[in-house]
Amino acid sequence: MEAIDRGLNYNLGLLLSDSASRAAQGARWRALKDLLPNVSAHVSGTRQQINLAALGFPGLIPAIPQIIGPFNVFDARVFLSQTIFNLNAIYNARAESDNLKAAQYTYRDARDVVVLVCANLYLQAVAGTSRVEAARAQVKTAKVLYEQAVDLKKAGVVPSIDVLRSQVEFQAQQQRLIFLENEFAKQKLGLARAIGLPIGQRFELTDRIPFTPLPPMTPDEALQRAYDSRSDYQGALALVAAAASGSKAARWERLPSLELHGDFGDIGQTVDSARVTFSVGVELKIPIFQGGSTHGKILEADALLRRRKDELEDLRSRIDYEIQSAFLDLNASEKQVQVAKSTLDLANEQMKQAQDRFSAGVVNSIEVVQAQDAVAVATENYISSLYAFNIAKASLGRAMGVSEEAAKEFLGGEN
């Protein structure tokens, strides 16, 4: 549906989730800094005059002046540093890579939530349309009955009380129509805000409430698909992996690290007189005592890992609950739709017979009013059960992690 497509493009929550994914990308690149080569360039030109006595060289040899210079120094050089071995940096980079995956899964999960919200709001608005149309039909019917009662009273067939009953029913249906039209207008406002329509933009709902049975599927199949497809579950797995890498990184901080350093460039008094020089070195860093910071990082990393694992198990339980709950709602609402449809057909038939009996003067207006109220109740029950059935299908799609596919697969069908 177009409403879902607009929600995926303009919903604020989805835009914020995308920003979080970009932030995780930045954190990953910062972690890679300690593993990738660091290259920098330096060009300088200075004019110096040095006092040897200030540097600790008193005038021991009279032939050497205490003040040297002024003289020029030109230096153009490229510096390189590269980590050769640093397990702490390696596992930190892995942790940030897994955090990036988790952020990307969170974005996809946010898309599923937006689809469910937009589908829910759209179905609410469509149900509101159906309620308004049904109320208008009932107002029209009540008006016809009222006019019929007036004509029958003039003919001396029915008493004044039947006219009053018909008039009260006519005005009650008008009042109900006003309420439902207002509710429908607010539902459209909520839908417009969720899908990012400009303020004041007028629009019409083109798709009506469909009813199609759910494609054959068992709860176990849906549960397995949820574990394979749900972005929040995949993101939780990525967070567990990130926490495990972070725990290893904290432990490997105790190990030595090895780095390569070098520079290459020209140095001299002038550009023309500059000559090539270079240096290459290897640095071994051996942590001996760090004030307990490494032990503290290990404790924090282990605590985070336990929390991520607990969150993953809780999510598994919640997914199972959501799948089972969605199937229960589907089964119940589908039966409700069937019963409500049958009840509505019976109520319409009852209404037709009551109108005929009233026109023939066999019964008074009480039977007609009761029949019309029965039609109103049956219509509302049918619309409500149909909405519940469709939102249950959308909820199942969300529980399975396939909201976007389910919006087309589950919500298609005839009006």
Side-chain angles (χ1 to χ4, degrees):
M1 292 186 289
E2 185 181 357
I4 292 177
D5 293 335
R6 285 194 59 88
L8 292 174
N9 290 327
Y10 299 106
N11 188 270
L12 177 60
L14 199 55
L15 297 177
L16 293 177
S17 180
D18 185 44
S19 298
S21 179
R22 291 178 178 272
Q25 249 182 336
R28 176 177 175 269
W29 277 107
R30 287 201 312 273
L32 288 174
K33 174 183 70 68
D34 295 330
L35 296 175
L36 297 176
N38 286 280
V39 181
S40 62
H42 168 79
V43 178
S44 67
T46 61
R47 184 170 178 81
Q48 303 180 32
Q49 181 169 291
I50 300 174
N51 183 354
L52 292 179
L55 299 176
F57 298 97
L60 300 177
I61 304 177
I64 298 178
Q66 290 295 290
I67 303 298
I68 299 177
F71 59 91
N72 300 325
V73 177
F74 170 79
D75 189 16
R77 195 162 302 278
V78 175
F79 299 89
L80 168 69
S81 63
Q82 170 67 60
T83 298
I84 299 175
F85 176 79
N86 190 332
L87 284 176
N88 173 262
I90 291 173
Y91 281 102
N92 275 331
R94 289 182 182 178
E96 292 302 336
S97 295
D98 288 326
N99 282 329
L100 174 58
K101 290 180 183 179
Q104 292 170 340
Y105 282 123
T106 299
Y107 173 74
R108 296 177 192 174
D109 183 62
R111 288 179 66 90
D112 281 349
V113 173
V114 168
V115 169
L116 178 61
V117 170
C118 292
N120 181 34
L121 291 173
Y122 191 89
L123 290 172
Q124 281 184 351
V126 171
T129 301
S130 299
R131 290 186 176 99
V132 169
E133 291 177 352
R136 286 173 180 167
Q138 289 160 8
V139 167
K140 188 180 295 185
T141 300
K143 182 180 180 182
V144 170
L145 290 174
Y146 168 65
E147 292 172 348
Q148 187 179 38
V150 171
D151 293 338
L152 290 174
K153 179 182 178 299
K154 290 179 180 179
V157 177
V158 298
S160 299
I161 188 63
D162 285 328
V163 176
L164 290 175
R165 288 196 194 101
S166 301
Q167 186 176 10
V168 169
E169 180 65 16
F170 175 42
Q171 292 180 347
Q173 294 297 336
Q174 286 179 317
Q175 192 172 23
R176 181 169 175 268
L177 175 60
I178 293 171
F179 170 78
L180 291 175
E181 286 177 336
N182 182 65
E183 289 298 302
F184 175 56
K186 291 192 292 185
Q187 288 165 349
K188 288 182 67 177
L189 285 176
L191 176 61
R193 186 171 184 272
I195 63 178
L197 283 178
I199 298 175
Q201 174 71 50
R202 300 178 65 87
F203 67 96
E204 299 296 330
L205 305 180
T206 57
D207 294 336
R208 303 301 301 272
I209 296 181
F211 175 78
T212 52
L214 184 72
M217 183 185 309
T218 65
D220 290 339
E221 292 173 343
L223 184 61
Q224 185 56 52
R225 189 173 180 183
Y227 289 145
D228 294 337
S229 303
R230 276 190 64 146
S231 297
D232 55 349
Y233 183 71
Q234 299 300 321
L237 289 173
L239 287 176
V240 170
S245 295
S247 178
K248 292 179 180 178
R251 283 171 167 77
W252 294 134
E253 192 172 328
R254 295 169 171 172
L255 294 182
S257 61
L258 191 63
E259 294 184 7
L260 171 68
H261 299 280
D263 67 79
F264 179 89
D266 289 350
I267 188 169
Q269 287 192 341
T270 64
V271 176
D272 294 335
S273 65
R275 296 293 181 267
V276 173
T277 61
F278 66 88
S279 67
V280 178
V282 176
E283 180 182 3
L284 177 65
K285 296 181 179 179
I286 303 175
I288 297 175
F289 178 71
Q290 296 175 305
S293 64
T294 300
H295 182 64
K297 291 179 182 179
I298 292 174
L299 294 177
E300 291 176 351
D302 288 345
L304 178 61
L305 179 58
R306 285 195 297 270
R307 189 176 75 183
R308 295 303 189 201
K309 289 181 177 179
D310 291 341
E311 290 172 349
L312 178 63
E313 289 304 313
D314 179 69
L315 181 58
R316 285 182 64 90
S317 299
R318 180 154 56 89
I319 290 174
D320 182 77
Y321 166 80
E322 290 176 359
I323 293 291
Q324 299 294 340
S325 178
F327 269 93
L328 289 173
D329 290 340
L330 273 170
N331 293 333
S333 58
E334 185 173 10
K335 293 176 182 178
Q336 287 176 338
V337 169
Q338 295 170 355
V339 174
K341 182 65 171 63
S342 175
T343 303
L344 180 59
D345 292 339
L346 293 174
N348 284 323
E349 179 62 26
Q350 178 186 2
M351 180 67 188
K352 182 178 180 300
Q353 292 186 18
Q355 285 180 286
D356 293 341
R357 287 160 60 85
F358 180 67
S359 299
V362 177
V363 297
N364 57 27
S365 60
I366 294 178
E367 184 173 322
V368 179
V369 170
Q370 290 176 339
Q372 190 172 8
D373 289 341
V375 170
V377 172
T379 302
E380 173 59 30
N381 288 340
Y382 179 69
I383 294 173
S384 297
S385 59
L386 194 54
Y387 164 76
F389 177 70
N390 283 292
I391 198 59
K393 288 197 291 185
S395 298
L396 177 61
R398 160 62 183 145
M400 294 168 57
V402 291
S403 292
E404 294 185 57
E405 296 89 336
K408 299 176 182 178
E409 181 182 355
F410 293 170
L411 298 182
E414 300 297 330
N415 294 337

